[in-house]
């Protein structure tokens, strides 16, 4: 057969498909499970597939991928009209782009690498009524024995045709770099005519900052370690309509130029946010072992070196045959940023930790082991987590151990509260309650101990939340106490304090009155009642001013309408009867006043609720 045989597409079929809005991606996927020598129909267009040899793995090519196949084409009577095997050269084409007959596009997308199948393709999915003289008759049903050798995936990365990625070498694993990560790549960029414009045998850059052109950063976020790709980059992800002047070893790039980049992702360093405000970052220099990490209270052993931005070393521990430095997580034995970062490390992990002043030494000078850290300094620690011993978790404890652990955490919280460290104290109280929250396996005596601990820890935590202005959380904690002990005066008192700050004055008054019923002589509750009454007077005054201004505006409108009414003394009602304007106005004003009075009662209640919401949002 002629070597120029290129599987021309039947234009009638294409036109018909376009009119009908057909797309090969809209067809249902065939049954993926087939046995050798089994034949099944695929899709809804009469194409049959017979599996001759199973393929490898589970992946199949997608639309736009460049596939490589060997094939033998015959008529139903066995007459061969073409064969890539006879030519000794595999056939390559882009799948799903109309480069071959429709039957091929639909059939080959169902194949796996190394698979061999026989496809029987009806004329409407091949060359139609006209055929392809002289080799293929009119209305011919064709058979193709196809072996899928390989394919290169081609992806439209940005879904706008701006960057196409063709995978040349598959990468390892499943992870991709993120914006904060630092990637190490090799690349070579050429214009469409082959002119080299930029090249690097190894460059490192943060993904978010990019390098050379925007396409590099977008592409590496889709790549795996060791992956090699060919990028086709359109001007909008390159240098636009301005181009780029030649500089140094890099050639110039004309305006609106499309070019290709061979890109290899060699490796990357994972950079993660330790704190939500991005003021403590951890860059992994060496991956750790396993998945386990230290918990609060864990004893950790580390090697560390702390440096200033200029490179001055201010602390060095665990190096030069010195024993690793030990400290406990969440016990304030090191600066906050270091404490938080080490908690997110794995055993044997090595990381570079960047800590801004808020989580380091603050605004004042801080003398350290080897140098003074000036105020407002960002510091850098290189840390290796040598080992750690986790604090025992509740599920590893028996019931008595849980009660003892809860008691210890409560005492730690009390010490921190007295020191004004409310955030840390709150965490201790929460941890204490966590140990004893589920008490179904406790004895009666242990349940009573747990009940007392829950009450005291939640009350103390509510006090922390009030100090931290987290009023809704404070109210929730007091409610938990009242579910256990409905006559707990402290819980009623503290919940009332929270409600006052949330401007939920009716609920606050309810709690205070109930507390005074239980303990009429409680001095703190009485003082809080005075505060509440003052708040109520303040809001009543504001309500009066607000509604006074509404009635003043109504009065002005009524006065301005009086002059107009003089000129038009009569009106016609819906029944066609003449009525005086004054009587119409009287009824309207009466309805209006009734409506305003009804709304006022609701508004009074809603105003406190609205203020409460605003306070909550502010905090």
């Amino acid at each position: 057969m002629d070597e120029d045989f290129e599987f021309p597409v039947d234009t009638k079929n294409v036109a018909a498909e376009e009119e009908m809005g057909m797309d090969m991606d809209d067809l249902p996927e065939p049954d993926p499970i087939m046995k050798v020598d089994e034949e099944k129909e695929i899709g809804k267009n009469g194409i049959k597939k017979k599996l001759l040899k199973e393929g490898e793995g589970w992946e199949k090519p997608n639309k736009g991928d460049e596939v490589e196949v060997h094939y033998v084409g015959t008529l139903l009577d066995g007459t061969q009209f073409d064969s890539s095997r006879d030519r000794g050269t595999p056939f390559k084409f882009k799948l799903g782009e109309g480069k071959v007959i429709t039957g091929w596009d639909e059939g080959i997308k169902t194949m796996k690498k190394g698979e061999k199948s026989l496809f029987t393709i009806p004329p409407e999915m091949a060359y139609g009524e006209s055929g392809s003289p002289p080799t293929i008759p009119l209305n011919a049903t064709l058979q193709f024995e196809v072996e899928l050798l390989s394919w290169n995936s081609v992806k439209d990365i940005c879904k706008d045709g701006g960057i196409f990625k063709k995978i040349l070498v598959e990468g390892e694993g499943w992870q991709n770099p993120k914006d904060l990560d630092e990637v190490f790549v090799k690349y070579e960029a050429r214009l469409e005519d082959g002119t080299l414009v930029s090249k690097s045998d190894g460059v490192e850059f943060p993904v978010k900052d990019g390098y050379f052109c925007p396409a590099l950063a977008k592409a590496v976020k889709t790549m795996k370690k060791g992956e090699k790709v060919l990028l086709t980059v359109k001007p909008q992800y390159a240098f636009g309509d301005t181009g780029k002047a030649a500089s140094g070893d890099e050639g110039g790039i004309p305006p609106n130029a499309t070019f290709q980049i061979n890109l290899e992702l060699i490796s990357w360093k994972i950079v993660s946010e330790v704190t939500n405000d991005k003021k403590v970052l951890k860059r992994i220099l060496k991956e750790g072992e396993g998945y386990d990490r230290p918990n609060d209270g864990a004893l950790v052993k580390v090697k560390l070196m702390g440096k200033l931005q200029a490179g001055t070393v201010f602390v060095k521990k665990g190096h030069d045959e010195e024993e690793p430095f030990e400290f406990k997580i969440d016990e304030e034995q090191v600066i906050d940023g270091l404490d938080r970062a080490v908690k997110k490390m794995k055993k044997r992990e090595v990381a570079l930790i960047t800590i801004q002043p808020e989580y380091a030494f603050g605004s004042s000078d801080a003398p350290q082991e080897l140098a003074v850290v000036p105020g407002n300094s960002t510091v850098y620690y290189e840390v290796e987590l040598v080992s750690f011993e986790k604090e025992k978790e509740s599920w590893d404890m028996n019931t008595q151990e849980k009660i003892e652990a809860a008691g210890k955490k409560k005492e730690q919280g009390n010490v921190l509260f007295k020191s004004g460290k409310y955030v840390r104290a709150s965490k201790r109280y929460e941890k204490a309650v966590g140990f004893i929250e589920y008490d179904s396996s406790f004895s009666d005596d242990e349940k009573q101990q747990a009940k007392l601990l829950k009450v005291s820890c939640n009350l103390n935590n509510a006090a922390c939340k009030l100090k931290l202005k987290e009023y809704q959380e404070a109210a929730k904690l007091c409610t938990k106490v009242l579910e256990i002990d409905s006559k707990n005066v402290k819980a009623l008192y503290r919940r009332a304090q929270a409600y006052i700050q949330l401007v939920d004055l009716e609920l606050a008054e309810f709690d205070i009155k109930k507390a005074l019923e239980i303990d009429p002589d409680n001095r703190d509750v009485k003082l809080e009642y005075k505060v509440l009454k003052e708040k109520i007077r303040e809001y009543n005054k504001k309500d009066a001013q607000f509604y006074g201004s509404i009635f003043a505006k109504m009065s002005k409108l009524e006065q301005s309408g009086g002059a107009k009414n003089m000129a038009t003394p009569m009106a016609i009602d819906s029944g066609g009867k003449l009525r005086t304007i004054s009587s119409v106005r009287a009824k309207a004003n009466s309805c209006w006043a009734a409506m305003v009075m009804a709304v006022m009662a609701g508004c009074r209640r809603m105003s406190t609720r609205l203020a409460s919401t605003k306070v909550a949002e502010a905090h």
Side-chain angles (χ1 to χ4, degrees):
M1 195 66 221
D2 196 316
E3 289 186 9
D4 294 328
F5 192 84
E6 285 293 335
F7 292 99
V9 178
D10 182 60
T11 54
K12 293 179 185 175
N13 288 338
V14 171
E17 288 174 14
E18 286 177 351
E19 276 185 28
M20 294 168 65
M22 289 174 66
D23 190 296
M24 61 171 276
D25 291 332
D26 294 331
L27 296 171
E29 288 295 321
D31 185 351
I33 302 172
M34 288 184 71
K35 298 176 181 178
V36 173
D37 292 329
E38 184 180 4
E39 186 174 55
K40 286 188 178 183
E41 185 171 328
I42 59 172
K44 295 180 179 178
N45 295 301
I47 301 169
K48 292 181 179 178
K49 172 183 174 180
K50 183 178 182 180
L51 182 64
L52 304 178
K53 187 182 85 171
E54 289 185 348
E56 307 167 8
W58 55 271
E59 290 185 311
K60 299 172 185 177
N62 295 308
K63 183 178 179 179
D65 291 352
E66 186 177 77
V67 298
E68 182 178 40
V69 301
H70 262 313
Y71 68 91
V72 177
T74 62
L75 303 177
L76 285 180
D77 63 7
T79 303
Q80 180 177 309
F81 56 82
D82 191 30
S83 172
S84 66
R85 293 189 185 280
D86 290 350
R87 291 195 297 273
T89 304
F91 179 60
K92 295 181 181 180
F93 69 97
K94 284 192 175 181
L95 187 64
E97 296 190 357
K99 304 295 183 183
V100 294
I101 59 175
T102 307
W104 265 47
D105 276 336
E106 292 189 16
I108 291 173
K109 70 175 184 176
T110 71
M111 299 180 72
K112 302 171 185 174
K113 184 179 179 182
E115 179 183 320
K116 185 187 289 187
S117 289
L118 179 67
F119 293 99
T120 302
I121 303 176
E124 57 270 22
M125 294 288 107
Y127 296 96
E129 296 177 358
S130 57
S132 182
T135 55
I136 297 175
L138 312 179
N139 287 313
T141 294
L142 308 179
Q143 288 191 320
F144 289 93
E145 181 189 279
V146 180
E147 182 180 5
L148 179 56
L149 303 175
S150 64
W151 71 85
N152 290 317
S153 292
V154 178
K155 306 288 185 186
D156 182 359
I157 292 176
C158 300
K159 308 297 183 187
D160 60 2
I163 307 171
F164 287 98
K165 183 184 83 167
K166 176 180 176 181
I167 298 176
L168 306 177
V169 177
E170 287 285 350
E172 306 168 10
W174 55 271
Q175 289 184 307
N176 309 114
K178 304 293 187 294
D179 280 332
L180 289 174
D181 295 344
E182 296 177 5
V183 294
F184 185 65
V185 304
K186 289 182 182 179
Y187 76 92
E188 186 177 279
R190 293 180 182 272
L191 298 177
E192 289 181 294
D193 63 7
T195 303
L196 180 68
V197 291
S198 184
K199 178 180 178 180
S200 174
D201 290 328
V203 62
E204 188 173 49
F205 62 91
V207 174
K208 63 181 176 63
D209 295 342
Y211 190 81
F212 177 58
C213 71
L216 279 191
K218 292 188 176 295
V220 294
K221 288 200 288 184
T222 70
M223 296 173 69
K224 302 169 187 172
K225 183 180 178 182
E227 186 174 318
K228 294 181 182 179
V229 302
L230 176 64
L231 304 177
T232 300
V233 183
K234 297 298 175 69
Q236 64 264 39
Y237 293 104
F239 297 96
D241 55 9
T242 58
K244 180 176 178 288
S247 62
D249 296 332
E250 294 193 346
I253 297 173
N256 296 310
T258 294
F259 55 83
Q260 292 191 321
I261 302 175
N262 275 291
L263 176 65
E264 178 182 0
L265 177 57
I266 299 170
S267 63
W268 76 86
K269 296 183 178 75
I270 296 174
V271 180
S272 58
E273 299 172 11
V274 175
T275 56
N276 292 332
D277 55 10
K278 300 183 181 180
K279 292 186 176 181
V280 182
L281 300 177
K282 178 171 74 79
R283 182 174 70 161
I284 297 176
L285 304 179
K286 179 188 167 188
E287 283 286 349
E289 303 171 0
Y291 298 96
D292 213 10
R293 293 177 171 86
N295 60 355
D296 286 342
L299 178 66
V300 299
K301 296 183 179 182
V302 300
K303 293 180 181 179
L304 64 82
M305 183 184 298
K307 295 181 180 180
L308 301 175
Q309 192 165 13
T312 303
V313 177
F314 60 84
V315 66
K316 187 176 181 182
K317 294 182 180 293
H319 292 273
D320 305 322
E321 299 183 359
E322 182 184 355
E323 285 295 310
F325 174 59
E326 292 185 4
F327 67 93
K328 278 192 171 185
I329 296 288
D330 199 36
E331 293 289 349
E332 295 187 306
Q333 295 176 3
V334 294
I335 58 172
D336 191 22
L338 180 60
D339 194 75
R340 292 174 184 235
V342 172
K343 185 181 174 182
K344 291 181 177 287
M345 295 177 69
K346 301 174 187 174
K347 184 179 178 181
R348 292 296 175 187
E349 180 181 322
V350 180
L352 179 63
I353 301 164
T354 303
I355 307 172
Q356 292 191 27
E358 295 89 332
Y359 295 92
F361 298 98
S363 58
S364 303
D365 291 355
Q368 295 299 298
E369 186 180 281
L370 302 176
V372 173
V373 176
N376 294 313
S377 291
T378 295
V379 294
Y380 306 84
Y381 284 87
E382 186 172 313
V383 181
E384 178 184 353
L385 179 54
V386 177
S387 65
F388 61 89
E389 184 180 336
K390 294 180 78 169
E391 182 175 75
K392 205 170 185 179
E393 298 284 5
S394 61
W395 52 80
D396 293 322
M397 299 178 180
N398 60 39
T399 54
Q400 194 55 45
E401 286 175 328
K402 289 178 182 179
I403 291 171
E404 289 172 4
K408 286 179 183 177
K409 290 296 178 186
K410 176 195 165 186
E411 293 308 317
Q412 291 172 6
N414 292 348
V415 171
L416 290 165
F417 185 89
K418 289 173 184 175
S419 303
K421 297 173 181 177
Y422 306 119
V423 173
R424 295 172 62 79
S426 176
K427 283 177 66 178
R428 292 298 192 279
Y429 295 132
E430 287 170 6
K431 185 78 172 177
V433 172
F435 283 124
I436 54 175
E437 190 167 9
Y438 304 105
D439 58 5
S440 58
S441 60
F442 288 19
S443 68
D444 290 342
D445 183 53
E446 288 170 340
K447 283 182 180 179
Q448 185 60 30
Q449 293 179 63
K451 176 183 173 180
L452 294 173
L453 279 168
K454 284 179 192 177
V455 167
S456 60
C457 287
N458 281 328
L459 278 174
N460 292 353
N461 197 7
C464 291
K465 298 300 184 184
L466 288 171
K467 293 287 187 181
L468 295 167
K469 299 183 179 180
E470 296 176 14
Y471 302 119
Q472 287 183 330
E473 290 302 312
K476 287 178 185 177
L477 288 162
C478 292
T479 300
K480 286 183 178 181
V481 172
L482 291 165
E483 287 170 356
I484 298 171
D485 177 8
S486 62
K487 295 185 177 181
N488 191 293
V489 173
K490 275 190 179 179
L492 290 165
Y493 167 63
R494 286 179 185 164
R495 191 167 71 172
Q497 287 182 302
Y499 284 150
I500 289 171
Q501 294 300 324
L502 291 168
V503 204
D504 207 335
L505 305 183
E506 288 181 7
L507 291 177
E509 187 171 26
F510 178 85
D511 278 354
I512 285 178
K513 285 181 175 178
K514 189 171 181 181
L516 288 173
E517 284 176 14
I518 299 164
D519 186 1
D521 299 323
N522 191 299
R523 183 173 175 274
D524 290 335
V525 178
K526 285 181 177 180
L527 288 172
E528 200 64 29
Y529 201 7
K530 286 184 178 179
V531 172
L532 174 61
K533 287 178 178 178
E534 183 57 37
K535 285 276 186 185
I536 291 171
R537 279 193 291 271
E538 180 186 331
Y539 276 93
N540 282 342
K541 185 178 179 182
K542 286 181 180 178
D543 282 350
Q545 290 172 347
F546 174 73
Y547 295 117
S549 67
I550 287 178
F551 282 115
K553 287 177 182 178
M554 285 172 58
S555 178
K556 284 183 181 179
L557 285 170
E558 186 177 336
Q559 290 171 8
S560 63
K564 293 178 183 178
N565 294 335
M566 293 289 289
T568 55
M570 305 296 288
I572 300 174
D573 67 12
S574 59
K577 296 179 180 178
L578 289 173
R579 298 174 64 188
T580 62
I581 288 295
S582 59
S583 66
V584 173
R585 282 175 53 229
K587 278 205 169 186
N589 286 343
S590 175
C591 291
W592 176 253
M595 183 180 72
V596 169
M597 293 302 292
V599 170
M600 279 177 64
C603 285
R604 270 192 61 137
R605 285 190 287 270
M606 286 180 64
S607 64
T608 59
R609 297 282 183 183
L610 189 60
S612 170
T613 303
K614 289 180 178 178
V615 170
E617 288 174 352
H619 295 289

